[in-house]
Amino acid sequence: MGKKLYITTAIPYANAKPHIGNAIDYLLADIWTRYQKQNGQDVRFQVGTDEHGNKIAAKAAEEGKTPQEFVDSMLSRFTDMMKAVNAEYTDFIRTTDVHHRAAVQYIWEKLQPYLYKKSYEGWYCVGHEAFFTDREAAETDGVCPDHQQPYQRISEENYYFKLSEFGPAIKEALETHKFDIVPEFRKNEILALIESGLQDISVSRSKKNLSWGIPVPGDDTQVMYVWIDALSNYLTVLGYPDQEGWREYWPADVQVVGKDILRFHAAIWPAMLLGLELPLPKKLLVHGHVHVGGAKMSKSVGNVVDPIEIITNYGVDAFRYYFSRHVPALDDGDFTWEKFETAYNNELANELGNLVSRISKMVISYQAGVVGDGIQAEHDSKPYHDAMRSFEFNRAIDEVWLSVRSLNQYLEEVKPWMIAKQQETDPDAEAHLAEVLAHAVGVLLQIATQLIPFLPDTSARIIALFKDGVVRGDPGVMFPKIYLHSTDPRRK
Ligand SMILES: [Zn+2]
């Protein structure tokens, strides 16, 4: 067996509850993890929360809590979301973890050759933890529109990271596929960015402007800004640098990120790793955003879709199904409650759910629950595996659905219920019926096996139903019809 596998997800900022973009991170990483585990691989799957910064400190103050008490109180929202989407993660990192804080200080010291102090003057917004240019400050009349607070004219010394030095090495790694970005058009965006020249970035703030963070070692006037603190989590969660085992998993095989944070992961992060003399992740898997009926999801418009609401009403596998099949893994997608419910009723309830109950009921009523030894159907599964390996999860599940539809069609054509009726008069009918049902069960089991990464609960139910070639009892309704956002066609 080769290297042990490692997949990561972005760590959301713990000042608000997680959103659908986070849920999609967990889902994509989980699909990949389950697929790899199915193929016998050892996989570590990281999740976590980013817990430092002024926004956290401000929220904590509003609630009369210390920042640590505040982030502790936020934690369950994130673990609840991860569990709700049925993500089988192995490691949870909090940037306030004692080990993380110590490891990040070690990383800072190792990056010394690439850090320098520089004084900077500009308009500072404490809420943003960032400087704005004269022009930006003038355009908003000197008041931050997001924080409703005047910018302060500040001159301070910060540490800078020599990101500009790493452009050529990152470019070379991308061109030689040592470090890759999927899909290709995202990779081209980053190559163009590097071509235009990477600028050094400020990686610390003076303590008076940022109190809640990891102190810069050896300089008690400075606190680390988000970059080195948060990005390091992908290493520190494995136990870097001092705990056993991290070398067996690093470099990450896949790092799942949303397109809005690609730049940090495709420029700052690989530069840090090069500075630490560590190998770069093999792949960044970049997903898009989910729109609602073609519009951007936003709190002010009030069209925010809560994954928990979907899962509560339709079940976790229905959520996983829609967001792996009807939202492409590598691009933007669209959601409406109507589209979702239609997919649920037509595809999950009618096409898959009915298929399972039809086949199992026939095996029960025609053969006392015993599936004969027949042909173990083996549809060509290469297109499915090709799609899985190239992260085109929607194409993989489309392939599975071709089998679902062709099995439904097969039953319509062969009509096992007619063969059953012929048994009284035709001596060959019994064997023929057994062969047809064995074939149907074989295809259905192949479908269930290919659905394991996508619909873990459903596939486990199907596999258990036909375990050992005997159907024991009624399977029940797998996806009961739901009409919360559409009308039951039978009632029209
Ligand atoms: Zn601001």
Side-chain angles (χ1 to χ4, degrees):
M1 194 153 114
K3 173 192 162 294
K4 293 180 177 177
L5 303 183
Y6 179 39
I7 187 164
T8 73
T9 56
I11 52 171
Y13 196 45
N15 69 332
K17 67 177 190 177
H19 52 73
I20 197 141
N22 307 127
I24 288 175
D25 272 13
Y26 308 142
L27 174 60
L28 295 177
D30 190 62
I31 291 169
W32 187 84
T33 299
R34 286 179 193 266
Y35 179 68
Q36 296 298 338
K37 287 205 275 196
Q38 214 181 345
N39 293 317
Q41 300 284 349
D42 176 324
V43 188
R44 269 174 94 166
F45 170 4
Q46 159 280 11
V47 292
T49 42
D50 172 13
E51 303 189 333
H52 289 127
N54 281 339
K55 285 174 203 163
I56 299 266
K59 280 254 176 151
E62 264 172 45
E63 295 188 13
K65 290 178 172 146
T66 66
Q68 188 64 54
E69 285 167 349
F70 174 77
V71 291
D72 289 349
S73 76
M74 294 297 287
L75 193 61
S76 64
R77 300 188 189 206
F78 295 90
T79 51
D80 286 352
M81 177 70 88
M82 294 157 190
K83 285 174 187 151
V85 305
N86 206 352
E88 280 191 331
Y89 59 87
T90 57
D91 295 84
F92 194 110
I93 178 100
R94 301 177 63 184
T95 56
T96 52
D97 288 343
V98 173
H99 173 264
H100 175 80
R101 291 169 63 97
V104 168
Q105 290 186 319
Y106 170 89
I107 287 170
W108 179 280
E109 288 188 329
K110 258 206 116 173
L111 289 175
Q112 276 308 313
Y114 309 101
L115 298 176
Y116 61 94
K117 225 174 177 183
K118 188 175 93 170
S119 111
Y120 185 88
E121 191 177 324
W123 297 103
Y124 193 78
C125 171
V126 176
H128 267 98
E129 298 165 13
F131 283 100
F132 292 83
T133 62
D134 287 344
R135 192 172 149 193
E136 287 166 324
E139 275 169 1
T140 53
D141 297 325
V143 178
C144 171
D146 295 337
H147 296 99
Q148 296 299 323
Q149 275 180 342
Y151 298 109
Q152 296 163 29
R153 188 70 185 170
I154 282 178
S155 165
E156 69 169 40
E157 281 205 303
N158 295 144
Y159 287 95
Y160 279 72
F161 175 60
K162 294 180 186 168
L163 181 59
S164 59
E165 281 192 11
F166 293 95
I170 297 170
K171 184 173 173 232
E172 204 223 307
L174 284 169
E175 282 169 348
T176 55
H177 300 275
K178 274 181 213 140
F179 169 48
D180 227 335
I181 300 173
V182 186
E184 189 78 15
F185 72 94
R186 298 283 178 211
K187 179 170 167 171
N188 294 334
E189 275 174 34
I190 294 303
L191 284 168
L193 178 76
I194 293 171
E195 202 59 47
S196 72
L198 299 176
Q199 307 289 314
D200 291 353
I201 52 163
S202 136
V203 290
S204 75
R205 293 288 181 268
S206 99
K207 206 179 200 168
K208 60 182 191 295
N209 290 323
L210 175 62
S211 57
W212 181 237
I214 302 178
V216 167
D219 185 341
D220 60 13
T221 68
Q222 298 279 314
V223 169
M224 287 184 215
Y225 185 52
V226 61
W227 307 126
I228 292 179
D229 174 355
L231 289 166
S232 298
N233 90 83
Y234 303 122
L235 276 177
T236 65
V237 70
L238 294 178
Y240 177 88
D242 55 320
Q243 292 169 4
E244 286 288 302
W246 67 268
R247 287 175 200 277
E248 293 172 45
Y249 292 90
W250 192 262
D253 296 273
V254 185
Q255 298 207 263
V256 180
V257 296
K259 65 179 184 183
D260 52 324
I261 55 170
L262 170 61
R263 286 178 172 212
F264 318 140
H265 288 81
I268 303 174
W269 175 227
M272 281 171 58
L273 290 165
L274 290 167
L276 295 169
E277 296 174 339
L278 290 173
L280 303 187
K282 293 183 186 168
K283 269 192 177 61
L284 294 182
L285 174 59
V286 189
H287 66 81
H289 288 165
V290 177
H291 296 145
V292 180
K296 225 176 142 177
M297 217 181 276
S298 96
K299 267 187 208 156
S300 51
V301 177
N303 63 350
V304 173
V305 176
D306 180 2
I308 302 288
E309 188 184 344
I310 300 174
I311 293 165
T312 306
N313 288 322
Y314 300 87
V316 58
D317 278 1
F319 172 86
R320 294 175 65 106
Y321 175 79
Y322 188 87
F323 287 94
S324 47
R325 183 161 188 217
H326 295 289
V327 170
L330 304 178
D331 211 339
D332 291 344
D334 196 57
F335 175 92
T336 66
W337 286 102
E338 292 75 14
K339 271 202 258 189
F340 176 85
E341 198 168 271
T342 303
Y344 174 88
N345 285 327
N346 292 351
E347 295 158 26
L348 288 174
N350 281 346
E351 293 178 337
L352 181 62
N354 280 351
L355 182 63
V356 174
S357 74
R358 250 173 128 183
I359 293 173
S360 57
K361 277 177 185 155
M362 287 193 286
V363 173
I364 290 170
S365 61
Y366 304 149
Q367 301 182 162
V370 181
V371 185
D373 330 309
I375 320 128
Q376 196 58 11
E378 188 60 43
H379 276 206
D380 177 18
S381 55
K382 190 176 177 294
Y384 167 84
H385 292 292
D386 286 347
M388 290 303 284
R389 279 192 285 261
S390 56
F391 302 96
E392 294 171 88
F393 298 147
N394 52 307
R395 202 159 64 74
I397 195 166
D398 278 345
E399 285 294 330
V400 182
W401 234 258
L402 287 177
S403 301
V404 170
R405 285 181 181 158
S406 74
L407 184 53
N408 272 311
Q409 218 170 11
Y410 170 78
L411 294 176
E412 286 307 315
E413 282 162 12
V414 177
K415 298 186 175 58
W417 49 94
M418 297 297 285
I419 306 174
K421 279 185 191 159
Q422 290 159 10
Q423 284 187 84
E424 287 163 27
T425 54
D426 180 354
D428 296 332
E430 189 181 331
H432 184 205
L433 181 61
E435 201 179 292
V436 166
L437 291 180
H439 172 77
V441 171
V443 177
L444 191 57
L445 285 173
Q446 186 181 18
I447 288 167
T449 304
Q450 293 184 337
L451 286 176
I452 286 174
F454 298 98
L455 312 179
D457 292 348
T458 305
S459 50
R461 251 177 97 181
I462 298 172
I463 291 165
L465 184 62
F466 296 99
K467 202 171 172 256
D468 309 323
V470 181
V471 182
R472 293 178 183 84
D474 191 319
V477 179
M478 209 157 252
F479 294 97
K481 294 285 179 74
I482 298 175
Y483 298 97
L484 296 172
H485 298 274
S486 56
T487 313
D488 183 343
R490 289 164 301 181
R491 291 193 191 168
K492 265 186 185 163

